[in-house]
Every structure is written in C-alpha cells, then in structure tokens.
Amino acid sequence: MIHIGNLIEKEFRRQERSVSWLAKKLFCERTNIYDIFKRQSIDTEMLLRISEALHHDFFQYYRYSLEKETSDGATRPEPGEKSRKDDSERQ
C-alpha cells in the first residue's frame, strides 16, 4: 500500500526545501505540512498542488500500483528507478 505522505516527504527532503517554503506554496500553516507527511492518503486536489509545487508527479505511484496489479506478470521498475533493460542498452 502506498503511503503518500512518506513519498512527499522523501521528495521534499531530496529537494532540500524548507517547511516554510512549502507552506507558502500551498497557502497553509507549517503544521499542516508535517500533517501531510503523516498521511497515508490525500485529497487529489491537494496532491496536485503539492506535485506542482515540488515539480514531481506524485500520481505516478498510483499509476504504477494500478499497472502492477493489472499487469500480465511482467515486472516493471518502480517510478524513479531505471529498468535493467535501460542499463543493458547503454553497455
């Protein structure tokens, strides 16, 4: 199961942004940002706003999860990971 708050926090930290910066972008209080990081699920409108602020498509994790469930058994790399095929093509 996807814990979207953890994924948001991970990307947020990777970008080395401040909580105040994200709070201003989302027009909310700093404490709300910490609450977002704890959420397992989130409203789609809020997820869109966060995706735009961080320039990161957080919806991809849900698409990947759906594709994985409906796939014919083929393994796919998780979002943000390179496939083995990509690495072998470079050699």
Side-chain angles (χ1 to χ4, degrees):
M1 180 171 261
I2 296 168
H3 191 295
I4 195 65
N6 286 343
L7 295 170
I8 293 167
E9 183 175 15
K10 182 179 177 182
E11 178 61 21
F12 169 80
R13 302 268 180 227
R14 188 193 69 76
Q15 292 186 21
E16 299 179 349
R17 303 286 189 173
S18 72
V19 172
S20 296
W21 176 86
L22 187 55
K24 286 179 187 176
K25 290 285 189 179
L26 300 179
F27 304 102
C28 67
E29 299 293 322
R30 292 174 66 243
T31 55
N32 294 57
I33 302 303
Y34 294 110
D35 290 339
I36 289 169
F37 295 158
K38 295 175 187 174
R39 293 182 190 173
Q40 187 166 350
S41 64
I42 193 167
D43 176 76
T44 54
E45 183 65 32
M46 177 60 76
L47 189 58
L48 178 60
R49 291 171 51 206
I50 294 167
S51 292
E52 290 171 343
L54 294 175
H55 302 287
H56 185 88
D57 179 11
F58 289 101
F59 293 95
Q60 70 179 316
Y61 302 102
Y62 294 102
R63 280 192 301 273
Y64 173 75
S65 180
L66 283 172
E67 289 172 3
K68 189 175 177 183
E69 288 178 16
T70 59
S71 74
D72 56 358
T75 54
R76 294 184 175 96
E78 292 207 25
E81 291 182 359
K82 296 178 187 174
S83 70
R84 290 185 186 136
K85 181 179 177 185
D86 291 341
D87 290 338
S88 64
E89 288 176 354
R90 290 189 190 129
Q91 295 177 2

